[in-house]
């Protein structure tokens, strides 16, 4: 799951160098720095990939503090 | 000469929205919102001798002195200095619902179009309808209910990806690329939820065109309807996000002239005048891969980043420089001082001082606001709005790369 999320982040941010740079339990906000539109595209791609639906209006940015916390959040959807 | 007080707010669209139409999804992020609140600092570029600048966060004195020294004429005033500015003219970034109240509050002069008119002409629905009115084939279609959205959306998908645009979308938001039926259906469900809360559907759907160059045309429209062209700016974008502006050269303008572009802009001016608008206008346009011009991507009946770069360029041109406006989106740990950063930039010989250097910082608080607000040692977002000033024999991209390296060595993480 973490690897897939990494792939989506690389695709949405258009930064191939992140594939190498993102290691361990990386922080999605701090390490990737997606802008607002990229963030929406990221969520939409994640929804598509993991067949979940995320509530945009209620989404808490703290879920992106680490890739593990985001995976945990997805498992609870 | 009459003095002006310059003030403004860079998220005008948020004030123009009336809240009765459905929104595209957004994720509310406090740090970016904080940064946008600090962008009014860069309106100093509009200043003429004796003008005042009033910003949400007071510009540091040393930064004001530096900008004065390199040739920008303005004096910062605090909101409580009412006696000093009374009787001046208001020079604003955009006409907002509170513009009239600001005039009264500070006893300022100024004649502005009605907010109703400003809302109308800034809407993408207005610019879409304008295409037909001036005899051009529209690229977008307005949809006003979910069935229409799905019908037009599915038709567009047969040819390729398309964009859903909000009538009052801001740069980097308010657009969404639809790349398949699944995303379209997802959006339908999202809008259905908002409809249940009483919101109406109003979007513009446009095929995703293969663009080569984004550019903008800046002009002033006076009350009599005369158009005074100021500049053409090439827009640097990353995806749908704004990255910078650079003044177009004479060849590019000649190409636009050959394609009858400026006549279309005159017609835009004529229609805006008819609608009751006067003031600053920035029309975003683009050139497609096949050299076809799309003259109206959107109409911004306000000032814009293109205007900012135009005013910087006007100031530095007599010194032999051209200007590329851009920004770095950065992350840093803990607290940061703009004064320290500024001094390091100076020590490295990068800070523009009329004789040497090429980085002209345009804002201070955009870098520091999030560390100031939170005081925590965690990572914060900031932005460095700068003009890269270059001479004819210099490549601005090379200078920008050097500036980016400087920021990385300073300990910043670069996001754009």
């Amino acid at each position: 799951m973490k690897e897939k999320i990494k792939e989506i982040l690389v695709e949405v941010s258009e930064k191939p160098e992140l594939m190498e740079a993102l290691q361990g339990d990386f922080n999605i906000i701090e390490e990737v720095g997606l802008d607002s539109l990229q963030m929406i595209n990221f969520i939409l791609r994640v929804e598509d990939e993991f067949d979940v639906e995320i509530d945009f209006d209620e989404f808490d940015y703290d879920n992106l503090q680490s890739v593990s916390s985001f995976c945990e959040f997805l498992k609870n959807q | 000469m009459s003095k002006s007080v310059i003030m403004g707010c860079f998220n005008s669209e948020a004030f123009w929205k009336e809240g009765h139409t459905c929104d595209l999804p957004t994720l509310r992020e406090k740090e970016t919102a904080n940064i946008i609140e600090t962008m009014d600092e860069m309106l100093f570029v509009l200043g003429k001798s004796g003008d005042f600048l009033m910003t949400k966060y007071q510009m540091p004195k040393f930064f004001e002195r530096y900008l004065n020294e390199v040739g920008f004429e303005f004096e910062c005033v605090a909101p409580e200095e009412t006696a000093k500015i009374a009787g001046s003219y208001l020079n604003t970034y955009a006409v907002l619902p509170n513009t009239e109240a600001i005039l009264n509050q500070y006893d300022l002069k100024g004649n502005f179009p009605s907010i109703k008119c400003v809302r109308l002409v800034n809407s993408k629905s207005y610019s879409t309808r304008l295409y037909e009115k001036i005899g051009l084939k529209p690229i977008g279609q307005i949809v006003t209910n979910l069935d229409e959205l799905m019908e037009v959306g599915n038709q567009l998908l047969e040819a390729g990806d398309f964009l859903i645009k909000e009538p009052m979308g801001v740069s980097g938001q308010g657009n969404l690329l639809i790349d398949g039926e699944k995303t379209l259906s997802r959006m339908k469900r999202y809008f259905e939820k908002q409809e249940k809360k009483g919101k109406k559907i109003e979007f513009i759907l446009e095929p995703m065109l293969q663009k080569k160059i984004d550019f903008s045309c800046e002009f002033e429209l006076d009350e009599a309807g005369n158009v005074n062209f100021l500049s053409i700016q090439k827009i640097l974008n990353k995806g749908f996000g704004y990255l910078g502006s650079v003044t177009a050269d004479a060849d590019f303008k000649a190409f636009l002239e050959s394609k009858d572009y400026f006549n279309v802009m005159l017609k835009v001016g004529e229609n805006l005048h008819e609608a009751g608008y006067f003031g600053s206008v920035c029309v975003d346009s683009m050139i497609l891969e096949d050299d076809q011009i799309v003259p109206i991507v959107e109409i911004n009946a306000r000032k814009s980043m293109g205007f900012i770069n135009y005013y910087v360029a006007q100031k530095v041109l007599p010194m032999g420089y051209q200007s590329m406006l851009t920004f770095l989106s950065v992350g840093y740990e803990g607290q940061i001082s703009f004064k320290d950063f500024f001094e390091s930039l100076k020590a490295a010989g990068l800070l523009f001082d009329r004789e040497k250097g090429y980085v002209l910082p345009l804002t201070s608080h955009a870098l520091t606001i999030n560390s100031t607000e939170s005081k925590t040692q965690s990572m914060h977002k900031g932005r460095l709005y700068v003009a890269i000033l270059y001479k004819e024999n210099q490549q601005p991209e090379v200078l920008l790369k050097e500036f980016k390296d400087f920021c990385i060595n300073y300990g910043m993480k670069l996001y754009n």
Side-chain angles (χ1 to χ4, degrees):
Chain A
M1 195 175 203
K2 281 181 188 172
E3 274 308 297
K4 196 70 219 173
I5 289 170
K6 199 154 105 176
E7 276 174 33
I8 297 172
L9 285 167
V10 168
E11 179 195 316
V12 170
S13 66
E14 297 176 47
K15 291 180 191 163
E17 67 274 17
L18 286 181
M19 209 65 211
E20 284 294 308
L22 298 178
Q23 295 298 328
D25 197 15
F26 60 89
N27 183 314
I28 296 176
I29 298 174
E30 292 176 7
E31 299 297 317
V32 189
L34 297 177
D35 65 29
S36 45
L37 195 64
Q38 287 170 331
M39 193 59 89
I40 293 295
N41 288 328
F42 168 65
I43 298 289
L44 287 173
R45 284 281 293 110
V46 165
E47 284 190 345
D48 203 12
E49 187 64 39
F50 300 107
D51 203 22
V52 291
E53 199 154 304
I54 295 167
D55 188 335
F56 294 104
D57 302 327
E58 297 298 322
F59 184 75
D60 186 346
Y61 261 65
D62 283 347
N63 292 313
L64 300 169
Q65 288 298 332
S66 72
V67 69
S68 307
S69 60
F70 187 56
C71 290
E72 200 54 40
F73 165 78
L74 290 178
K75 283 174 195 161
N76 294 326
Q77 293 305 296
Chain B
M1 205 163 63
S2 356
K3 293 180 175 186
S4 294
V5 181
I6 306 159
M7 58 175 97
C9 193
F10 276 65
N11 53 347
S12 328
E13 284 77 1
F15 292 91
W16 290 332
K17 266 189 179 179
E18 291 180 281
H20 62 279
T21 50
C22 293
D23 299 311
L24 286 167
T26 47
L27 295 171
R28 319 233 171 263
E29 200 241 327
K30 185 73 184 139
E31 292 212 329
T32 303
N34 286 341
I35 291 170
I36 293 166
E37 295 280 305
T38 68
M39 287 173 69
D40 57 354
E41 246 183 336
M42 72 178 98
L43 292 174
F44 73 83
V45 303
L46 305 178
K48 295 183 299 300
S49 179
D51 284 352
F52 301 107
L53 173 72
M54 192 189 287
T55 49
K56 176 162 183 180
Y57 300 95
Q58 187 88 24
M59 182 186 278
K61 269 286 161 211
F62 80 90
F63 187 40
E64 180 183 352
R65 269 196 306 275
Y66 159 77
L67 292 169
N68 289 158
E69 278 163 18
V70 295
F72 291 93
E73 300 170 289
F74 67 98
E75 181 192 341
C76 290
V77 283
E80 57 274 18
E81 295 181 88
T82 47
K84 203 170 187 174
I85 61 171
S88 305
Y89 283 87
L90 174 63
N91 184 359
T92 182
Y93 182 77
V95 178
L96 300 179
N98 70 349
T99 299
E100 197 64 41
I102 295 280
L103 287 175
N104 295 331
Q105 184 184 346
Y106 293 103
D107 191 18
L108 303 177
K109 294 183 216 162
N111 192 14
F112 297 96
S114 73
I115 187 65
K116 190 178 168 198
C117 159
V118 172
R119 278 190 168 120
L120 168 78
V121 298
N122 276 289
S123 153
K124 290 188 182 79
S125 303
Y126 172 84
S127 41
T128 302
R129 290 188 187 105
L130 192 59
Y131 262 88
E132 283 191 77
K133 209 174 163 202
I134 60 179
L136 297 169
K137 189 174 172 287
I139 48 167
Q141 292 182 67
I142 302 166
V143 295
T144 53
N145 62 61
L146 274 178
D147 290 342
E148 227 177 13
L149 174 92
M150 295 308 287
E151 192 188 326
V152 177
N154 280 314
Q155 274 168 16
L156 287 167
L157 276 176
E158 283 174 23
D161 299 350
F162 74 94
L163 292 171
I164 301 186
K165 293 184 171 184
E166 285 179 6
M168 211 65 90
V170 201
S171 162
Q173 292 172 29
N175 279 359
L176 190 74
L177 181 69
I178 303 294
D179 57 3
E181 282 174 31
K182 206 167 173 180
T183 325
L184 180 60
S185 301
R186 172 70 177 97
M187 283 306 104
K188 185 188 174 198
R189 290 196 297 283
Y190 184 67
F191 300 143
E192 269 169 349
K193 268 168 73 176
Q194 295 182 60
E195 267 196 325
K196 280 182 193 149
K197 292 178 189 164
K199 291 197 171 192
K200 304 263 177 261
I201 295 282
E202 186 182 341
F203 291 109
I204 295 92
L205 308 194
E206 285 181 13
M208 182 67 187
L209 301 169
Q210 295 304 309
K211 69 179 173 190
K212 192 159 67 176
I213 300 169
D214 279 307
F215 66 100
S216 63
C217 176
E218 288 73 30
F219 62 85
E220 289 289 341
L221 180 68
D222 69 19
E223 277 192 79
N226 300 305
V227 171
N228 176 24
F229 285 113
L230 299 181
S231 82
I232 295 288
Q233 300 283 324
K234 284 193 180 174
I235 303 172
L236 318 170
N237 276 335
K238 187 178 183 192
F240 295 112
Y242 174 84
L243 208 58
S245 299
V246 62
T247 308
D249 60 22
D251 286 351
F252 189 75
K253 287 179 199 163
F255 168 77
L256 297 182
E257 186 75 62
S258 74
K259 298 271 186 178
D260 210 29
Y261 173 80
F262 292 102
N263 275 331
V264 176
M265 291 301 110
L266 287 174
K267 285 181 188 163
V268 171
E270 200 179 301
N271 278 277
L272 291 176
H273 173 65
E274 262 176 38
Y277 183 78
F278 55 93
S280 305
V281 182
C282 170
V283 180
D284 289 343
S285 311
M286 63 181 169
I287 298 178
L288 303 181
E289 287 293 350
D290 62 2
D291 278 349
Q292 189 192 329
I293 295 185
V294 178
I296 309 164
V297 175
E298 66 180 69
I299 295 171
N300 300 299
R302 54 167 169 77
K303 292 187 177 64
S304 64
M305 297 304 276
F307 268 87
I308 304 287
N309 195 45
Y310 163 74
Y311 281 105
V312 174
Q314 287 297 100
K315 187 60 77 180
V316 299
L317 198 63
M319 303 177 212
Y321 291 93
Q322 295 181 62
S323 169
M324 177 175 83
L325 185 153
T326 188
F327 73 94
L328 304 188
S329 177
V330 304
Y332 54 85
E333 270 177 44
Q335 301 299 300
I336 196 164
S337 152
F338 179 71
K339 178 96 166 55
D340 292 348
F341 175 76
F342 179 90
E343 291 301 336
S344 303
L345 203 58
K346 192 174 178 178
L350 269 57
L351 185 75
F352 174 72
D353 70 358
R354 278 173 173 261
E355 301 297 323
K356 60 180 189 313
Y358 57 84
V359 179
L360 173 72
L362 300 173
T363 53
S364 64
H365 295 295
L367 175 66
T368 57
I369 185 70
N370 288 314
S371 64
T372 314
E373 293 277 299
S374 90
K375 307 261 184 230
T376 65
Q377 289 308 308
S378 59
M379 197 94 170
H380 297 296
K381 267 188 185 173
R383 281 190 202 169
L384 284 161
Y385 282 91
V386 296
I388 301 291
L389 306 181
Y390 59 101
K391 296 203 164 173
E392 209 162 324
N393 59 350
Q394 290 178 307
Q395 298 277 335
E397 296 79 11
V398 174
L399 301 176
L400 179 59
K401 167 80 173 60
E402 189 183 35
F403 174 53
K404 283 183 174 178
D405 289 343
F406 170 84
C407 293
I408 291 167
N409 290 331
Y410 196 80
M412 294 174 184
K413 193 179 266 294
L414 299 195
Y415 294 136
N416 66 341

